[in-house]
């Protein structure tokens, strides 16, 4: 587990594509438990350790996850995520490039619970929710494109679904039309950075997550650092 930031009230970690944030029907050990164990060992705590889940990332997605270390910070962070007071930026790798290098996608998403999948429509449908994101093409390789994505709304599989709708299926995302999976079983979507006002101290917190240990990710990162 890679800790990106920690203070008395919050801890921010870099999730891998194999981890789940919170316990689910798979019974696999969630990241929240790993964080609890890490805190318990680091501070030599004899009793239970508090670790509150403030938001989630899909299992095959990597990157930044914020946990609350105190009961004071948890409801404040939950409210901040709900009210979009926290700015999150994602990086996504797709085989196809969008028609326009910079753009905004606005769709109506309908979630299919049985399939654990969302479908995007141009017009409003029963049980649909409006989804808006902004993207920018920031790097290219011979075969792939790197998009930077900022969410205006937070819907189920929003980035995956909306990018697929414009023909920019995320690398490795079989559920949304990728032709092959990634070796690690994840998809090439990374919660790259986050910025927000601390829920208790009110100081600005800005954190960036290193990209996954993968040649393509590293090549894009190197290209952007020049």
């Amino acid at each position: 587990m890679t800790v990106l930031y920690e203070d008395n009230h919050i801890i921010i970690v870099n999730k891998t594509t194999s981890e789940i944030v919170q316990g689910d029907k798979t019974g696999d050990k969630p990241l929240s438990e790993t964080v609890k164990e890490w805190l318990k060992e680091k501070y030599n705590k004899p009793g239970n350790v508090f670790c509150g889940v403030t938001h989630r990332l899909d299992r095959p997605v990597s990157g930044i996850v914020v946990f609350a270390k105190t009961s004071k910070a948890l409801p404040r962070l939950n409210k901040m995520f709900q009210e979009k007071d926290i700015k999150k930026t994602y990086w996504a790798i797709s085989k196809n490039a969008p028609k326009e290098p910079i753009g905004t996608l606005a769709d109506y998403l309908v979630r299919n619970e049985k399939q654990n999948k969302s479908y995007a429509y141009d017009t409003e449908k029963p049980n649909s929710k409006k989804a808006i994101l902004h993207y920018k093409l920031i790097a290219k390789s011979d075969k792939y494109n790197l998009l930077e994505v900022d969410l205006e709304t937070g819907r189920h599989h929003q980035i995956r679904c909306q990018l697929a709708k414009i023909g920019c299926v995320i690398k490795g995302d079989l559920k949304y039309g990728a032709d092959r999976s990634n070796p690690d079983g994840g998809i090439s979507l990374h919660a790259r950075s986050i910025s927000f006002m601390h829920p208790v101290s009110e100081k600005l917190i800005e954190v960036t997550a290193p990209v996954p240990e993968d040649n393509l990710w590293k090549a894009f990162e190197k290209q952007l650092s020049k």
Side-chain angles (χ1 to χ4, degrees), residues 1-54:
M1 189 183 78
T2 305
V3 177
L4 302 172
Y5 175 87
E6 187 198 3
D7 63 27
N8 290 337
H9 293 281
I10 62 178
I11 181 169
I12 302 175
V13 301
N14 192 12
K15 183 181 104 60
T16 66
T17 56
S18 62
E19 293 171 312
I20 50 172
V21 173
Q22 204 170 21
D24 64 7
K25 61 187 179 184
T26 64
D28 293 343
K29 182 179 174 181
L31 185 56
S32 55
E33 284 301 315
T34 304
V35 173
K36 277 185 183 180
E37 290 174 4
W38 186 88
L39 291 169
K40 190 178 179 74
E41 185 177 336
K42 180 179 180 181
Y43 297 104
N44 197 24
K45 292 196 171 188
N48 289 331
V49 173
F50 186 90
C51 179
V53 176
T54 65

Side-chain angles (χ1 to χ4, degrees), residues 46-85:
N48 289 331
V49 173
F50 186 90
C51 179
V53 176
T54 65
H55 68 117
R56 293 165 186 79
L57 277 186
D58 296 340
R59 184 168 195 161
V61 179
S62 60
I64 289 174
V65 181
V66 181
F67 293 99
K69 287 174 61 180
T70 63
S71 55
K72 184 177 185 179
L74 180 59
R76 296 183 186 185
L77 281 168
N78 284 338
K79 187 179 179 186
M80 289 167 72
F81 274 104
Q82 287 166 4
E83 296 181 355
K84 308 295 181 290
D85 291 331

Side-chain angles (χ1 to χ4, degrees), residues 18 35 38 41 61 71 74 81 103 106 119-120 122 128 136 141 162-163 166 191-192 198 206 208 213 221:
S18 62
V35 173
W38 186 88
E41 185 177 336
V61 179
S71 55
L74 180 59
F81 274 104
Y119 293 85
D122 293 331
S128 66
K136 181 165 57 175
S141 71
Q162 287 192 280
L163 288 184
I166 64 167
R192 173 66 171 172
H198 193 285
E206 294 181 299
T208 299
E213 291 295 327
E221 189 177 45

Side-chain angles (χ1 to χ4, degrees), residues 106-147:
D107 299 291
Y108 291 92
L109 267 53
V110 176
R111 180 176 181 176
N112 184 310
E113 297 277 358
K114 281 188 177 180
Q115 295 178 330
N116 187 32
K117 186 176 178 180
S118 287
Y119 293 85
Y121 300 93
D122 293 331
T123 56
E124 197 168 359
K125 303 287 182 183
N127 302 314
S128 66
K129 292 182 178 179
K130 190 159 190 181
I132 301 171
L133 65 76
H134 309 282
Y135 73 83
K136 181 165 57 175
L137 180 61
I138 58 172
K140 285 183 164 194
S141 71
D142 291 343
K143 293 183 179 178
Y144 294 100
N145 299 273
L146 180 63
L147 299 171

Side-chain angles (χ1 to χ4, degrees), residues 145-215:
N145 299 273
L146 180 63
L147 299 171
E148 187 170 88
V149 178
D150 291 311
L151 290 176
E152 199 168 303
T153 55
R155 308 301 183 201
H156 177 258
H157 290 184
Q158 181 178 339
I159 298 173
R160 301 166 66 181
C161 181
Q162 287 192 280
L163 288 184
K165 183 171 179 279
I166 64 167
C168 296
V169 176
I170 293 171
K171 183 176 177 290
D173 198 356
L174 299 177
K175 188 180 285 282
Y176 287 93
D179 54 5
R180 66 177 67 182
S181 60
N182 286 344
D184 64 1
I187 66 174
S188 299
L189 178 60
H190 184 64
R192 173 66 171 172
S193 64
I194 195 166
S195 65
F196 58 96
M197 301 305 291
H198 193 285
V200 179
S201 70
E202 296 187 356
K203 72 173 182 178
L204 178 64
I205 305 296
E206 294 181 299
V207 176
T208 299
V211 296
E213 291 295 327
D214 170 87
N215 289 340

